[in-house]
Amino acid sequence: MKRRSAFVLSALAFGYAFLYVPLASVIFYSFNDSRLATVWGGFSTRWYGELWGNDQVLDAAFLSLRIAVTSATLATVLGTLAGLALVRVTRFRGRTLFSAMITSPLVMPEVITGLSLLLLFVSLQQLVGWPAQRGFSTITIAHTTFSMAYVAVVVRSRLAAMDQSLEEAAMDLGGRPLRVLVDITLPLIYPAMLAGWLLAFTLSLDDLVIASFVSGPGSNTLPMYIFSKVKLGVTPDINALASLVILFVSAGVLLAWLVTRRGPGQPGRT
Amino acid sequence: MNGQAASNGDSASPDFIRIENLSKHFDDFVAVDSVSLSIARGELFSILGGSGCGKTTLLRMLAGFEVPTTGRIFIDGIDVTDLPPYERPVNMMFQSYAIFPHMTVESNIGYGLRKDRLPKSEIGSRVDQMLELVKLNDFRHRKPDQLSGGQRQRVALARALIKRPKVLLLDEPLAALDRKLREHTQFELMAIQDRLKITFIVVTHDQEEAMTLSTRIAVMEQGRFEQVGTPKQVYEYPCNRFVADFIGTINTFESRVVGCTDGVIEVESAEAGSHLHALTDKPIASGDSVSIALRPEKIFISQERPDAAEDTCLHGIVEDLGYFGNLSLYRIRLSTGKIVQVSAQNRRRSAERFLEWNDEVWISWQRQSAVVLTE
């Protein structure tokens, strides 16, 4: 076996430390008994207990979850349709343009996305009286629009890798286009759809900037709540909350990875 | 529809499948260029050509995956040109086999019948029949990724046959198999075709495959048919240089006609360094330039000068030789510098070579073996 050079190993260690030490310290201090967030005062889980009794936190967390589930589901439906259109519909006018445009929300600064959506909602309210109040629905719509792009990209790459003659064979054997979609296409791309859903879910759960733009009074998502608390100084219960979010998000990412890796029809099952 | 009347019992009709002036353009590219063809019921018809000659596009138009730019397709008297793939009495076996990876062998094969909403019991018995036919009984519950290449090919075949299509289209059916399996499968395919009496249309780039499988072959190039005929016609009587070159190997001598009597022409060839004779029924006059073409196996090779007066006889030396076990291939250099390929069966069992490099030899052939190519 070849010996790895010390340089490569230390570069690796430094790189990972750079990524994970901040997260680890948040988790570490969440078990701190002291009232001061950065002074160690012994092990305790009391901040987790206190979170449980805090209605504001629970409301924010519940709102975030509702938004995340709804927008991820909507984004998966719309993103899958977009992916299908981009890969399977044979050459239509402006297909290249559409392909490029679907990815633009991925690179657009969140501030711009948030601002433009806010302007849209405000003018909509003036024109048709909806949305009367900004909150759950506006944040959900905002999250759907940008996470849809992620789903479309994931689904598109899966579809492009799929042998198109599978669909043709099904059609040749008497399957009408809609049946073929249900019988063949969807079962084969569902891992990508699931991965896209989980991705959209985590993105929605994480988002602070866009939600801040399009939320109204009284509707705080969890990241918004954390951010507003931190402005008054970091308290240990925020550490505990952050630790829970980290746990939740990494579970989601892990699940997404497992699903894409072990889809049906993928070679290399172990 | 006039389809029913035509389809009853009229098995000898050469117009079971009729293609009329079929073209397919992709933007500026002409993939298939105004092709017409008739295929009889029960034929095993091959479309042979190199990559990009349009053969797959033609097949896909028959299946309904491509819409022809112009022309009509009739199957059993019915105009199917505008029918979608799922309404055509045609099934296709794909080059990639396109086996549904998330279904078992059994449900792959039964898919077509399930789409036709047949009763469960009938689907079951017909799937059983098919599994029997392709000898996959023990594999019915397997998933496709647990099958070998040959088994996948048989699943694809069974799945395409189960609906008893009027026509089965096969896109490079044997290309993905290794040589031994290919030969075996070839004969299996012919046996199945013979048993089911389904018309097969095979697209292939492999001339050997086309020769052994088919009742007739269409040689295709640049979207057009160069020649349509039985394997023998195409091999022994190629209509032009492309066909002659594409099917097998052939030696050609550029020549000028000096005389023509009773279907026997005499030509003068600088490449051969002598006068040659050949038989032809083509209208040819003195002074025309033609090619005299000869298959390597039609040429005899010997160390002494043969004495049959009918034969054409040329002198040369062995430039190169190759031993293939059952036959040997020689490259003979004539005194004019022209290289002629000759193949000879190794009839005698011997560890020594019959000929060595640079041996002086005579090559000869009967004048009826020579093909006259006018293009």
Side-chain angles (χ1 to χ4, degrees), chain B residues 203-319:
Chain B
V203 151
T204 179
H205 68 276
D206 183 334
Q207 43 119 344
E208 231 173 275
E209 189 177 308
M211 299 284 278
T212 38
L213 277 177
S214 334
T215 52
R216 283 195 302 153
I217 298 175
V219 182
M220 205 169 172
E221 168 68 2
Q222 291 187 338
R224 289 174 166 276
F225 290 150
E226 294 287 339
Q227 186 170 7
V228 180
T230 63
K232 269 211 161 123
Q233 284 169 346
V234 173
Y235 186 80
E236 303 287 3
Y237 301 94
C239 68
N240 61 32
R241 184 179 282 237
F242 175 82
V243 176
D245 250 347
F246 191 80
I247 311 239
T249 326
I250 202 151
N251 300 296
T252 51
F253 297 100
E254 298 304 329
S255 324
R256 203 170 50 76
V257 180
V258 293
C260 181
T261 42
D262 298 337
V264 180
I265 61 166
E266 185 178 357
V267 303
E268 183 181 45
S269 169
E271 281 185 322
S274 94
H275 280 213
L276 307 174
H277 292 86
L279 310 181
T280 184
D281 49 9
K282 291 177 189 167
I284 282 170
S286 287
D288 287 358
S289 49
V290 296
S291 293
I292 300 296
L294 279 152
R295 298 281 181 197
E297 76 279 1
K298 301 281 193 295
I299 304 177
F300 301 103
I301 189 163
S302 58
Q303 281 167 309
E304 277 95 52
R305 187 189 169 104
D307 41 31
E310 281 281 288
D311 290 356
T312 306
C313 200
L314 300 170
H315 184 255
I317 58 167
V318 178
E319 163 100 357

Side-chain angles (χ1 to χ4, degrees), chain B residues 67-110:
Chain B
V67 180
T69 311
T70 60
R72 313 301 300 172
I73 301 167
F74 299 87
I75 294 173
D76 205 3
I78 301 169
D79 186 345
V80 299
T81 320
D82 300 319
L83 292 182
Y86 43 87
E87 282 171 9
R88 294 192 184 199
V90 167
N91 284 129
M92 176 153 166
M93 198 179 115
F94 289 79
Q95 183 172 10
S96 63
Y97 304 147
I99 298 171
F100 309 136
H102 56 302
M103 295 184 193
T104 60
V105 166
E106 204 175 27
S107 36
N108 257 289
I109 295 176

Side-chain angles (χ1 to χ4, degrees), chain A residues 163 165 168 171-173 183, chain B residues 60 92 96 102 111 115:
Chain A
D163 182 5
S165 57
E168 287 176 345
M171 221 186 276
D172 183 61
L173 291 164
D183 286 348
Chain B
R60 290 172 61 82
M92 176 153 166
S96 63
H102 56 302
Y111 185 84
K115 291 312 112 184

Side-chain angles (χ1 to χ4, degrees), chain A residues 165-249:
Chain A
S165 57
L166 291 173
E167 286 157 343
E168 287 176 345
M171 221 186 276
D172 183 61
L173 291 164
R176 277 153 199 285
L178 213 61
R179 284 270 13 130
V180 174
L181 183 72
V182 175
D183 286 348
I184 310 296
T185 317
L186 291 182
L188 291 177
I189 62 165
Y190 102 89
M193 291 166 64
L194 209 54
W197 190 91
L198 286 165
L199 196 60
F201 180 80
T202 28
L203 283 169
S204 164
L205 216 53
D206 281 352
D207 170 66
L208 169 68
V209 178
I210 295 173
S212 311
F213 271 101
V214 297
S215 73
S219 54
N220 274 334
T221 63
L222 199 56
M224 286 164 71
Y225 173 78
I226 294 173
F227 189 64
S228 62
K229 286 282 283 195
V230 169
K231 277 192 280 195
L232 307 171
V234 181
T235 52
D237 58 337
I238 292 300
N239 281 340
L241 187 56
S243 302
L244 287 177
V245 172
I246 291 170
L247 182 75
F248 209 76
V249 169

